[in-house]
């Protein structure tokens, strides 16, 4: 696990993210409330520009320093001093580095698709199971010409390759520029967490209970026929089919085939329609129920072409007539903030208008609460170079040990949830400071 000493309070804290969004703003607010210096923000947009122009991280820092100096009215004295420190190249400079989610910016999404293009050079060393990486790719110039369409899902497999190339670049460049630097979450482990296929295999090897995986002999479903063959051979009629690199229920289908009538039902956030003669796919922002086989097979075929993780449908425990799972945050090896996600559908993500309930208010038996927490902590230990993640934990309806459904390296964006009086970002910063920040109760700040 990442070790943070008292001296790190005064070391520069670098945040790679999309400035001004909810995540970067929340973290900066937490540092301010705890009287910690602000993080030095480096935008993914600037990093991707540097990668494209074949610049080093050192050259990017020099450019940021110039911008900071020219905008001294808006740049804090500490940030300017931190940037000067980071440029010295001294061996004793040991910044703490944090990766934030790359979403909520189409400009960044488009550039990541371009970085993952077949005609773009890149380091694929962090791409998990590269032999399974596929998807109908487009060239870099085509990617940069994409126009934003609300909710449209563009080339996810190629996006993920580009993202892994970005992670590899950051990891290598940071090691060269700041040999003593440390990551809150190591980029190599972030790549594994993001790949549902690889993450499930890592957890299973570590003895963590995960839903049984359905996979053909060669490891990849090429089309719906492959999927139906595997279902028939295994005797399974209900599955979750997930795009291998999605998040927030994007690209997830709760799929079932009636064993006698062969009627099919798919519940998903994926919308599909024909635009100018081409079938397109998008996040509908709400759950849809499909019974038409033509639509279902089109969606499943598209998912298979990009790459899927297929797992058995484990019935979830219920509370007040709704099924639930738990988003459990683990920070520094310990379970902290947690939210129950309750739904009348099989997909529980909160942004789909499902109900949330604090774990301590749910009235669950104490042994269930402890089992969820211990399961999440054990799963997090499979990623020893990472400090924090949000784990989705399923309590099975039939009893027994919980399952881990997902490990989200950016799963700490939890609203109105506190642990010992602190929100997730505040709690993380306190753990980093190792007790040297202002530790008065939140109410006194």
């Amino acid at each position: 696990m990442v070790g943070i000493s008292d001296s790190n309070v005064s070391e520069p804290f670098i945040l790679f993210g999309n400035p001004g969004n909810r995540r970067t703003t929340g973290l900066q607010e937490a540092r301010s409330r705890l009287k910690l210096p602000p993080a030095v923000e480096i935008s993914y947009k600037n990093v991707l520009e540097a990668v494209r122009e074949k610049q080093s991280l050192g050259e990017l820092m020099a450019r940021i320093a110039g911008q900071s100096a020219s905008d001294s009215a808006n740049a804090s004295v500490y940030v300017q001093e931190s940037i000067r420190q980071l440029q010295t190249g001294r061996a004793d400079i040991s910044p703490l580095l944090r990766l934030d989610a790359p979403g909520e910016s189409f400009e960044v999404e488009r550039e990541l698709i371009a970085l993952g293009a077949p005609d773009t050079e890149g380091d694929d060393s962090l791409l998990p199971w590269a032999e399974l990486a596929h998807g109908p790719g487009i060239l870099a110039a085509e990617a940069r010409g994409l126009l934003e369409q609300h909710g449209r899902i563009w080339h996810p497999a190629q996006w993920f390759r580009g993202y892994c190339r970005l992670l590899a670049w950051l990891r290598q460049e940071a090691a060269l520029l700041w040999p003593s630097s440390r990551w809150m979450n190591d980029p190599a482990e972030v790549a594994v967490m993001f790949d549902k296929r690889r993450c499930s295999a890592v957890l299973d090897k570590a003895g963590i209970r995960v839903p049984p995986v359905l996979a053909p002999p060669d490891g990849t479903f090429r089309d719906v026929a492959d999927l139906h063959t595997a279902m028939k051979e295994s005797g399974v009629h209900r599955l979750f089919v997930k795009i291998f690199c999605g998040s927030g229920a994007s690209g997830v289908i709760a799929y079932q085939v009636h064993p006698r009538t062969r009627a099919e039902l798919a519940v998903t956030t994926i919308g599909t329609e024909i635009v100018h003669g081409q079938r397109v796919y998008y996040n509908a922002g709400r759950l849809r129920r499909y019974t038409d086989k033509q639509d279902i097979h089109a969606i499943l075929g598209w998912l298979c072409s990009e790459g899927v993780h297929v797992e058995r449908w484990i019935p979830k425990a219920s509370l007040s007539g709704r099924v639930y799972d738990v988003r459990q945050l683990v920070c520094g090896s310990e379970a902290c903030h947690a939210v129950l996600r309750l739904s009348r559908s099989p997909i529980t993500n909160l942004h789909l208008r499902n109900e949330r309930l604090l774990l301590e208010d749910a009235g669950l038996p104490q042994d269930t609460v402890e089992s969820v927490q211990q399961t999440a902590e054990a799963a997090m230990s499979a990623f020893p170079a990472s400090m924090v993640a949000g784990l989705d934990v399923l309590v099975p309806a039939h009893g027994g040990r919980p399952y881990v459904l997902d490990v989200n390296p950016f799963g700490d964006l939890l609203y109105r949830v506190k642990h010992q009086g602190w929100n997730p970002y505040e709690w993380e910063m306190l753990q980093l400071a190792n007790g040297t920040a202002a530790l008065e109760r939140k109410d006194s700040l």
Side-chain angles (χ1 to χ4, degrees):
M1 183 57 61
V2 176
I4 307 297
S5 67
D6 291 352
S7 63
N8 286 293
V9 177
S10 59
E11 293 287 1
F13 185 98
I14 300 178
L15 174 61
F16 296 99
N18 291 325
N21 69 9
R22 298 167 296 170
R23 298 173 181 275
T24 54
T25 300
L27 186 133
Q28 293 285 34
E29 289 175 348
R31 291 184 67 84
S32 174
R33 290 187 68 82
L34 293 167
K35 300 179 173 59
L36 292 170
V40 176
E41 292 187 35
I42 301 179
S43 72
Y44 282 127
K45 177 177 179 291
N46 285 342
V47 173
L48 287 163
E49 286 175 358
V51 174
R52 182 180 179 183
E53 296 167 9
K54 301 188 182 305
Q55 294 180 340
S56 67
L57 183 56
E59 290 171 316
L60 173 58
M61 293 304 300
R63 178 150 54 96
I64 292 173
Q67 294 170 349
S68 175
S70 65
D71 190 26
S72 57
N74 294 319
S76 75
V77 172
Y78 177 83
V79 168
Q80 293 182 60
E81 178 56 33
S82 294
I83 293 174
R84 282 193 290 270
Q85 257 188 301
L86 292 164
Q87 284 187 281
T88 62
R90 284 168 29 204
D92 61 336
I93 296 294
S94 55
L96 185 65
L97 312 175
R98 176 184 170 102
L99 291 164
D100 217 326
E104 301 183 23
S105 167
F106 184 70
E107 191 173 9
V108 169
E109 177 184 352
R110 187 169 53 195
E111 196 61 34
L112 285 171
I113 296 171
L115 183 56
D119 61 334
T120 300
E121 293 182 3
D123 180 355
D124 288 331
S125 61
L126 298 190
L127 182 65
W129 287 350
E131 67 275 12
L132 297 183
H134 47 84
I138 60 174
L139 301 181
E142 293 180 77
R144 295 190 175 101
L146 294 174
L147 299 177
E148 184 171 12
Q149 298 176 25
H150 181 70
R152 178 79 179 268
I153 306 173
W154 294 104
H155 307 283
Q158 184 167 320
W159 175 93
F160 184 65
R161 182 183 290 273
Y163 182 55
C164 288
R165 288 176 173 179
L166 173 66
L167 292 175
W169 186 91
L170 284 169
R171 194 173 192 250
Q172 180 179 24
E173 288 290 324
L176 290 172
L177 187 58
W178 307 304
S180 300
S181 62
R182 283 147 299 165
W183 293 93
M184 279 185 68
N185 283 4
D186 185 87
E189 293 189 346
V190 169
V192 171
M193 293 180 200
F194 236 101
D195 187 320
K196 297 181 188 299
R197 301 169 302 193
R198 181 63 179 150
C199 185
S200 176
V202 167
L203 293 174
D204 185 54
K205 185 177 180 180
I208 308 303
R209 198 179 194 193
V210 294
V213 173
L214 191 70
D218 64 355
T220 182
F221 291 103
R222 288 174 293 274
D223 51 33
V224 180
D226 280 354
L227 180 62
H228 285 169
T229 297
M231 292 176 72
K232 183 178 180 180
E233 291 177 350
S234 63
V236 173
H237 306 291
R238 304 175 80 217
L239 296 168
F240 272 89
V241 181
K242 305 177 179 181
I243 199 158
F244 77 97
C245 58
S247 61
S250 176
V252 174
I253 298 181
Y255 178 57
Q256 52 188 312
V257 179
H258 193 283
R260 182 173 54 83
T261 67
R262 310 308 296 171
E264 299 181 25
L265 173 64
V267 178
T268 179
T269 61
I270 301 172
T272 181
E273 57 187 59
I274 306 296
V275 178
H276 304 305
Q278 177 189 11
R279 186 178 283 273
V280 301
Y281 304 91
Y282 57 92
N283 283 318
R286 59 183 177 83
L287 290 175
R288 295 188 168 193
R289 292 170 59 89
Y290 292 94
T291 56
D292 180 81
K293 290 185 179 182
Q294 183 177 0
D295 284 337
I296 293 173
H297 292 183
I299 295 171
L300 287 172
W302 170 70
L303 288 175
C304 288
S305 73
E306 294 289 342
V308 290
H309 175 66
V310 181
E311 56 191 30
R312 296 193 183 213
W313 184 327
I314 306 297
K316 298 173 181 176
S318 61
L319 187 68
S320 302
R322 289 156 296 176
V323 299
Y324 73 87
D325 58 21
V326 181
R327 166 60 61 88
Q328 176 66 66
L329 194 65
V330 175
C331 178
S333 302
E334 295 183 2
C336 45
H337 306 72
V339 178
L340 256 72
R341 309 184 303 182
L342 300 103
S343 178
R344 299 191 186 279
S345 81
I347 299 176
T348 58
N349 298 70
L350 293 176
H351 70 283
L352 300 175
R353 302 178 181 86
N354 289 318
E355 186 177 345
R356 51 178 278 147
L357 189 63
L358 297 180
L359 186 59
E360 58 266 28
D361 295 338
L364 298 180
Q366 186 58 31
D367 60 344
T368 299
V369 173
E370 291 175 357
S371 185
V372 167
Q373 294 172 337
Q374 291 166 5
T375 297
E377 290 170 351
M380 195 65 197
S381 69
F383 300 96
S386 296
M387 178 185 172
V388 62
L391 297 97
D392 295 337
V393 182
L394 181 153
V395 178
H398 51 72
R401 290 189 300 133
Y403 294 83
V404 173
L405 300 175
D406 210 358
V407 182
N408 188 334
F410 312 119
D412 52 3
L413 185 64
L414 299 174
Y415 297 111
R416 303 182 302 282
V417 185
K418 295 181 180 179
H419 178 69
Q420 297 185 20
W422 308 97
N423 74 33
Y425 292 130
E426 292 166 346
W427 183 253
E428 291 168 27
M429 294 304 101
L430 285 171
Q431 303 313 299
L432 289 178
N434 205 21
T436 62
L439 289 176
E440 296 83 11
R441 295 297 299 167
K442 175 100 182 297
D443 293 343
S444 67
L445 288 177

